[in-house]
């Protein structure tokens, strides 16, 4: 191959530029041109195909900085619809016009689903990313456990998963974790530690919502911030137990910090946080009210006198507050773990394309002997019997539903990722970057301005 394309799809994550950088560095070595498509699949759906040459004369453009969060080529939640044959053939023609011989998509499960229809026409490889850490499998044949159950709502069935019996082994995880996850955990855990001191000082109960959709990995990782209680989507909320643990904690220390994943569900499996029926363009439910729903439950169950009788607060409403870590989890400088493995996975994706793999995924494997290393699987390994790719749920054994905390297995899962996740340069960047006097004197200069000058179009 002489020329390949690359795009970043779905929500941004901190490691996208690092992954792009790894891919381009490898391509420079192999003397392969890399064309970056602007705003993910949206570029391919546009007849003008806005794109950027990421390595003219096989040297990386200076805007591509692996330590800079987000993605210099932009991202979107536009996906190619495989049933729309017209769009698919138009895209294939556009890629042929640009002499693109293979395509790397950096994304998560939505991107892998979207890439499928193109893989019938040209070699494609996915380099993973998502802060949700939900691209992967807990064990090799996990997709076989998905079944369709009839239900009243469209499309007339819903998916249920039957977890295979047998001991869970961390070494069998397919794609142990995804670039972006470590930085998101770093931000959330730090946020939780900061909110703690307010809860302590004002005798409050803080409920902090983290992202992750229906996968609880982010909430699990937030355990590094030492919350008292963690609530995860994989374990339906047990209200009595939550109230009991909250009271035990508050009685002892006059404050409590509760972390909840945005996708937590009630005992019937209904989303607590789906306040609205809005869906995002990729078809995901917008989850925005989990922490507020839990606050409402606690206000009702604890009541005002619980707080006023000991003069610890004016009312339940005043004592219990919610905060979302929000998009700060997704933005900014990636920490060392994400930068390093993002780059490795990007580089490996180039190798996979050039070795003639079609429709495969560059993955991060882990075992006790070798630690982390890159590997690959065929995209079909992620599909259920109907061809659908599901977001990975956190394995239930990572959590102790009685203590409402991370379990021993959960701790064992996190430790290899975070033991050396922060680099000295991360701390140096913080020291030098934030309070630099230039931040006050100079207006922000967006990289988009520089990259815009490099954008080319199919029609010249
Ligand atoms: O999938 C990544 C993610 O950050 C989720 O955790 C979250 O629910 C969603 O994206 C938010 O999407 P948006 O940035 O479109 O609001």
């Amino acid at each position: 191959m002489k020329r390949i394309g690359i795009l970043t799809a779905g929500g941004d994550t901190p490691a996208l530029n690092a992954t792009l950088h790894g891919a381009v560095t490898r391509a420079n070595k192999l003397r392969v041109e890399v064309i970056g498509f602007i705003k993910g699949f949206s570029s391919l759906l546009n007849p003008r195909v806005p794109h950027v040459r990421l390595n003219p004369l096989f040297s990386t453009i200076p805007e591509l900085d692996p330590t800079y969060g987000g993605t210099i080529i932009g991202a979107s939640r536009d996906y190619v619809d495989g049933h729309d044959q017209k769009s698919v053939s138009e895209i294939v023609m556009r890629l042929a016009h640009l002499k693109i011989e293979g395509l790397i998509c950096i994304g998560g499960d939505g991107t892998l689903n979207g890439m499928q229809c193109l893989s019938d026409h040209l070699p494609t490889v996915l380099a993973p990313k998502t802060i949700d850490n939900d691209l992967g499998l807990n064990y090799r044949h996990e997709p076989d456990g998905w079944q369709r159950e009839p239900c009243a709502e469209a499309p007339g069935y819903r998916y249920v998963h039957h977890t295979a019996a047998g001991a869970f082994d961390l070494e069998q995880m397919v794609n142990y974790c995804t670039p972006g996850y470590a930085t998101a955990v770093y931000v959330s855990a730090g946020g939780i530690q900061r909110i703690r001191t307010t809860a302590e000082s004002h005798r409050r109960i803080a409920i902090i919502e983290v992202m992750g959709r229906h996968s609880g990995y982010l909430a699990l990782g937030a355990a590094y911030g030492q919350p008292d209680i963690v609530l995860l989507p994989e374990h339906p909320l047990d209200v009595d137990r939550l109230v009991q643990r909250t009271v035990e904690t508050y009685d002892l220390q006059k404050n409590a910090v509760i972390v909840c994943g945005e996708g937590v569900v009630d005992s019937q499996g209904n989303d607590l946080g789906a306040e609205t029926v809005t869906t995002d363009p990729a078809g995901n439910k917008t989850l925005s009210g989990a922490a507020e729903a839990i606050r409402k439950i606690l206000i009702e169950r604890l009541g005002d006198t619980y707080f006023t009788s000991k003069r610890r607060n004016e009312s339940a409403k005043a004592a219990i507050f919610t905060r979302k870590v929000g998009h700060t989890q997704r933005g900014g400088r990636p920490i060392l773990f994400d930068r390093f493995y993002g780059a490795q996975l990007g580089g490996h994706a180039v190798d996979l394309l050039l070795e003639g793999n079609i429709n495969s995924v560059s993955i991060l494997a882990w075992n006790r002997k070798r630690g982390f290393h890159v590997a690959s699987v065929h995209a079909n390994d992620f599909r259920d019997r109907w061809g659908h790719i599901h977001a990975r749920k956190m394995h239930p054994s990572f959590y102790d539903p009685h203590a409402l905390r991370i379990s021993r297995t959960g701790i064992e899962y996190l430790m290899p990722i975070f033991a050396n996740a922060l680099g000295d340069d991360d701390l140096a960047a913080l020291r030098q970057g934030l309070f630099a006097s230039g931040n006050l004197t100079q207006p922000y200069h967006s990289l988009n301005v520089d990259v815009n000058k490099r954008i080319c179009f199919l029609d010249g």
Side-chain angles (χ1 to χ4, degrees):
M1 284 182 195
K2 293 264 174 274
R3 183 184 283 182
I4 60 173
I6 196 161
L7 57 82
T8 48
D12 69 314
T13 74
L16 288 169
N17 285 328
T19 309
L20 286 169
H21 196 270
V24 173
T25 305
R26 187 75 188 127
N28 290 343
K29 256 218 151 89
L30 300 169
R31 304 194 81 70
V32 173
E33 280 182 86
V34 187
I35 303 295
F37 294 109
I38 298 294
K39 284 194 73 201
F41 289 107
S42 152
S43 168
L44 306 182
L45 293 162
N46 177 346
R48 302 192 71 207
V49 200
H51 60 274
V52 169
R53 293 191 172 86
L54 293 174
N55 61 344
L57 303 176
F58 308 116
S59 84
T60 310
I61 59 169
E63 291 82 12
L64 185 50
D65 174 355
T67 67
Y68 195 73
T71 161
I72 62 157
I73 53 174
S76 72
R77 293 196 192 276
D78 290 329
Y79 295 103
V80 186
D81 175 2
H83 301 294
D84 182 353
Q85 273 314 313
K86 188 171 165 278
S87 291
V88 174
S89 358
E90 282 169 358
I91 289 172
V92 172
M93 263 170 50
R94 288 169 194 149
L95 290 170
H97 253 111
L98 277 168
K99 297 192 170 45
I100 300 291
E101 295 171 86
L103 179 67
I104 295 174
C105 300
I106 308 176
D109 59 314
T111 309
L112 193 51
N113 270 321
M115 193 180 91
Q116 173 71 20
C117 57
L118 298 180
S119 69
D120 293 338
H121 303 274
L122 85 165
T124 55
V125 172
L126 183 107
K129 69 87 209 179
T130 157
I131 62 161
D132 300 346
N133 199 26
D134 58 359
L135 178 80
L137 303 172
N138 288 310
Y139 48 92
R140 170 69 182 84
H141 295 292
E142 192 174 29
D144 297 348
W146 284 105
Q147 288 183 359
R148 284 178 175 179
E149 249 180 18
C151 74
E153 300 94 57
Y157 59 81
R158 68 167 156 252
Y159 282 103
V160 282
H161 190 262
H162 298 282
T163 303
F168 172 74
D169 181 356
L170 289 172
E171 295 195 359
Q172 285 173 11
M173 289 182 78
V174 177
N175 205 29
Y176 194 89
C177 64
T178 46
Y181 173 63
T183 306
V185 166
Y186 162 71
V187 174
S188 332
I192 289 155
Q193 282 183 333
R194 285 187 173 272
I195 286 182
R196 168 71 77 179
T197 50
T198 294
E200 277 178 331
S201 309
H202 292 276
R203 295 2 183 185
R204 287 184 190 162
I205 297 174
I207 306 168
I208 306 161
E209 183 176 316
V210 297
M211 286 184 170
R213 298 198 195 278
H214 291 103
S215 295
Y217 286 100
L218 270 177
L220 186 88
Y224 275 110
Q226 293 186 291
D228 303 298
I229 293 172
V230 177
L231 303 172
L232 303 173
E234 288 81 359
H235 292 262
L237 183 66
D238 176 343
V239 172
D240 291 335
R241 187 67 193 131
L242 168 66
V243 171
Q244 193 186 6
R245 281 292 301 122
T246 306
V247 168
E248 280 167 13
T249 309
Y250 192 84
D251 281 350
L252 175 71
Q253 58 192 32
K254 303 188 187 87
N255 72 89
V257 172
I258 301 170
V259 166
C260 73
E262 62 181 2
V264 287
V265 296
D266 65 15
S267 54
Q268 312 300 310
N270 303 310
D271 290 309
L272 281 171
E275 274 181 332
T276 55
V277 288
T278 346
T279 55
D280 71 12
N284 290 304
K285 229 183 246 177
T286 304
L287 300 162
S288 55
E292 276 305 319
I294 291 165
R295 176 173 182 255
K296 215 166 146 229
I297 293 170
L298 287 181
I299 288 172
E300 268 165 32
R301 291 288 296 263
L302 297 181
D304 290 342
T305 32
Y306 176 66
F307 296 98
T308 52
S309 61
K310 291 180 190 149
R311 301 176 60 82
R312 283 184 183 151
N313 230 303
E314 289 150 25
S315 64
K317 272 192 181 149
I320 307 173
F321 73 109
T322 64
R323 285 296 176 267
K324 287 182 190 174
V325 184
H327 285 77
T328 58
Q329 282 157 108
R330 271 203 350 220
R333 190 180 201 276
I335 61 173
L336 178 65
F337 183 92
D338 282 340
R339 285 200 313 275
F340 183 77
Y341 289 110
Q344 295 268 312
L345 288 162
H348 192 52
V350 173
D351 285 337
L352 290 170
L353 260 192
L354 269 70
E355 281 161 14
N357 288 279
I358 45 167
N359 201 13
S360 66
V361 185
S362 172
I363 57 163
L364 190 56
W366 177 84
N367 63 38
R368 288 170 186 86
K369 211 162 147 208
R370 288 181 66 191
F372 287 105
H373 51 281
V374 290
S376 71
V377 289
H378 194 275
N380 275 345
D381 291 0
F382 289 107
R383 294 180 196 288
D384 69 13
R385 68 192 82 175
W386 298 277
H388 188 69
I389 294 165
H390 299 263
R392 170 171 65 183
K393 298 235 176 194
M394 188 204 72
H395 194 269
S397 67
F398 288 8
Y399 183 68
D400 176 343
H402 182 72
L404 303 183
R405 290 171 68 91
I406 188 169
S407 69
R408 172 52 45 198
T409 312
I411 294 169
E412 280 168 13
Y413 169 73
L414 293 178
M415 275 171 35
I417 306 174
F418 292 97
N420 295 303
L422 268 176
D424 288 343
D425 61 328
D426 291 321
L427 304 174
L430 182 67
R431 204 166 40 240
Q432 288 153 16
L434 189 59
F435 297 124
S437 57
N439 292 354
L440 299 175
T441 54
Q442 301 296 317
Y444 181 73
H445 176 81
S446 174
L447 266 181
N448 286 355
V449 176
D450 302 325
V451 176
N452 277 350
K453 296 173 194 164
R454 295 186 178 273
I455 295 182
C456 313
F457 300 94
L458 192 55
D459 52 11

